[in-house]
Amino acid sequence: QVQLVESGGGLVKPGGSLRLSCAASGFTFSDYYMSWIRQAPGKGLEWVSYISSSGSTIYYADSVKGRFTISRDNAKNSLYLQMNSLRAEDTAVYYCARVRYGDYGPYFDYWGQGTLVTVSS
Amino acid sequence: QSALTQPASVSGSPGQSITISCTGTSSDVGGYNYVSWYQQHPGKAPKLMIYDVSNRPSGVSNRFSGSKSGNTASLTISGLQAEDEADYYCSSYTSSSTPYWVFGGGTKLTVL
């Protein structure tokens, strides 16, 4: 069965850095596009970033562009999110999600359980 | 990259039907059939319920259905059950100059 397990969250000071990881299993990781989506405490979902199966195509939300870097290692079945220059407003649970394409467009068919990132002094 | 608009809360009694609306613009909901819906129970990860406006993934009850008219998408849950009580989020992908996904603010469904 499809499993996505995030790790790497924690408490970091404003301006600091953190690297999140997502270990995938139960499917051929290299065949799928992947995304990071976050949810601030008590708030709604916010899409963060997307990476194609090969890693050649990458998109970011305006709110993280220039500060976050998404990457993947298909040999290790892993997705990453390098987060630099962190701000208080980056505090959230970060989910990795598998991207699936339907007849019309992409959607997120499996999600991990999330990892909490807290940015605070 | 503005959020889609959903009602903050809806409620219904067991057995009834409810509809959650999701309003966007012609640049997202109205422009493409890329609307998806997600269910999230407290402390849990979101679960895909509907994709491509009205398609149900395997394993999702046929009590859940989706539709779209103009810039507004809708999720209808019929025969409400206690386990349907959760937060529901709509999402739309847009393949404009910079492709991205936008989510609604979420709707809390209470089963009375």
Side-chain angles (χ1 to χ4, degrees), chain A residues 39-100:
Chain A
Q39 186 171 33
K43 301 296 184 183
L45 300 168
E46 180 188 15
W47 170 75
V48 173
S49 185
Y50 158 106
I51 186 169
S52 62
S53 55
S54 66
S56 60
T57 300
I58 287 173
Y59 304 128
Y60 297 101
D62 288 345
S63 58
V64 307
K65 204 173 294 183
R67 300 187 300 121
F68 290 12
T69 302
I70 190 173
S71 63
R72 64 190 297 160
D73 185 336
N74 287 342
K76 294 184 177 179
N77 292 334
S78 292
L79 176 71
Y80 306 102
L81 186 68
Q82 176 66 43
M83 303 185 296
N84 299 331
S85 302
L86 282 162
R87 306 165 180 166
E89 53 265 36
D90 295 318
T91 294
V93 174
Y94 284 73
Y95 296 100
C96 71
R98 192 176 80 169
V99 179
R100 187 79 184 268

Side-chain angles (χ1 to χ4, degrees), chain A residues 15 66 101:
Chain A
Y101 278 77

Side-chain angles (χ1 to χ4, degrees), chain B residues 31-103:
Chain B
Y32 313 91
N33 286 332
Y34 297 161
V35 177
S36 51
W37 289 89
Y38 303 88
Q39 176 192 65
Q40 186 179 36
H41 288 107
K44 300 295 187 182
K47 175 187 175 184
L48 175 68
M49 305 303 286
I50 295 287
Y51 67 94
D52 287 353
V53 175
S54 59
N55 290 334
R56 269 188 318 275
S58 173
V60 171
S61 170
N62 60 11
R63 298 184 299 105
F64 291 82
S65 62
S67 62
K68 190 186 82 165
S69 177
N71 294 339
T72 298
S74 298
L75 173 71
T76 298
I77 309 173
S78 58
L80 269 180
Q81 300 179 1
E83 60 261 35
D84 298 333
E85 184 162 298
D87 292 325
Y88 291 84
Y89 294 91
C90 62
S91 178
S92 179
Y93 172 78
T94 173
S95 57
S96 61
S97 57
T98 304
Y100 62 89
W101 281 264
V102 62
F103 285 91

Side-chain angles (χ1 to χ4, degrees), chain B residues 6-30:
Chain B
Q6 297 181 233
S9 63
V10 299
S11 62
S13 300
Q16 288 185 333
S17 294
I18 62 95
T19 297
I20 299 171
S21 62
C22 170
T23 302
T25 69
S26 57
S27 296
D28 38 63
V29 174

